[in-house]
Amino acid sequence: MELLQLEAGAGPCVECYRSGTVITVDDISNLGDRWPAFQHIALDMGFRSVHAVPMRVHTRVIGAMGLFGAETGALTPEDAAIAQAMADVATISLLQERTIREAGVLNDQLQRALTTRVLIEQAKGVIAQTKNLTMDDAFNVLRAHARASRQNLHDVAESIVKRTLMI
C-alpha cells in the first residue's frame, strides 16, 4: 500500500507527509473521487480504514506511518495517542540508524585517509633513502611522478613501498 501511494504520489500517507497533519479515513469505501487507485487496491487487499501519522523531527516531517484497519471506524483518542507515540519511536529509530551508518562511513573515510597517509610517508622514506633526498624533496618526486603518470598518489606510493615501482 505504501509503495502504491509513493508511485501514484497520492494517498493518505502521502498527504500526511506533505501536510504534516494526521489523516484519518474511517471508511475507505466512502472516499468518492479522492485517491481512486488507493481506494481500489486497499479494498481489494481487505483494508477498510487507514490512519496516517506524521513522523517528525522537531517541526520537519520526514515521513508518515500508515495504520491500516480491517474494520471501518476511527481510532479512539487513546489509540491515536499510541499511534503518534509509535511514529515518534520509529522516527527516533530511523535517526539513530542513520547516525550510526553515517558514523561508520566517516570512520571508514578517516581510516582510508590515515592508511593513505602512512603509505605516502613510507614511500617518501623509500625515495629519500634511495635517492639521498630530504623528505620534502622525496614527496615532490612522488607527487610529480603521480601527476606525470596520471595515477593517484596512493597507488604510486603503494607501488613504491611494494618495490614494484622505482622512481
Side-chain angles (χ1 to χ4, degrees):
M1 289 308 309
E2 299 295 342
L3 288 176
L4 165 77
Q5 292 180 75
L6 285 174
E7 288 173 4
C13 292
V14 172
E15 186 173 316
C16 173
Y17 171 72
R18 288 183 180 149
S19 69
T21 61
V22 173
I23 304 295
T24 299
V25 179
D26 297 346
D27 188 348
I28 293 173
S29 64
N30 289 334
L31 281 174
D33 292 337
R34 191 176 184 193
W35 313 314
F38 167 81
Q39 179 185 34
H40 176 72
I41 292 175
L43 291 171
D44 282 351
M45 294 180 77
F47 297 119
R48 300 296 175 250
S49 62
V50 62
H51 189 82
V53 182
M55 299 172 71
R56 288 191 187 94
V57 176
H58 303 292
T59 59
R60 187 173 136 236
V61 178
I62 65 164
M65 182 180 72
L67 302 172
F68 295 86
E71 306 288 327
T72 60
L75 295 178
T76 66
E78 294 82 17
D79 287 342
I82 291 170
Q84 186 62 63
M86 288 172 49
D88 294 344
V89 169
T91 301
I92 291 167
S93 298
L94 288 171
L95 293 175
Q96 285 179 329
E97 186 277 333
R98 180 185 298 166
T99 300
I100 290 167
R101 184 173 14 94
E102 288 172 354
V105 168
L106 179 60
N107 284 340
D108 289 346
Q109 290 171 340
L110 290 173
Q111 185 59 51
R112 279 194 301 275
L114 179 60
T115 300
T116 295
R117 183 68 188 166
V118 167
L119 198 59
I120 290 169
E121 290 301 318
Q122 289 173 340
K124 284 170 45 180
V126 169
I127 294 168
Q129 178 64 34
T130 58
K131 294 196 170 275
N132 197 25
L133 300 172
T134 67
M135 292 297 275
D136 286 342
D137 290 340
F139 179 71
N140 290 335
V141 168
L142 176 66
R143 184 177 57 201
H145 181 82
R147 286 180 180 165
S149 63
R150 296 182 185 262
Q151 294 178 306
N152 69 46
L153 202 56
H154 176 272
D155 291 345
V156 173
E158 185 175 42
S159 296
I160 290 170
V161 170
K162 288 182 176 178
R163 308 278 198 229
T164 59
L165 173 65
M166 296 298 291
I167 303 179

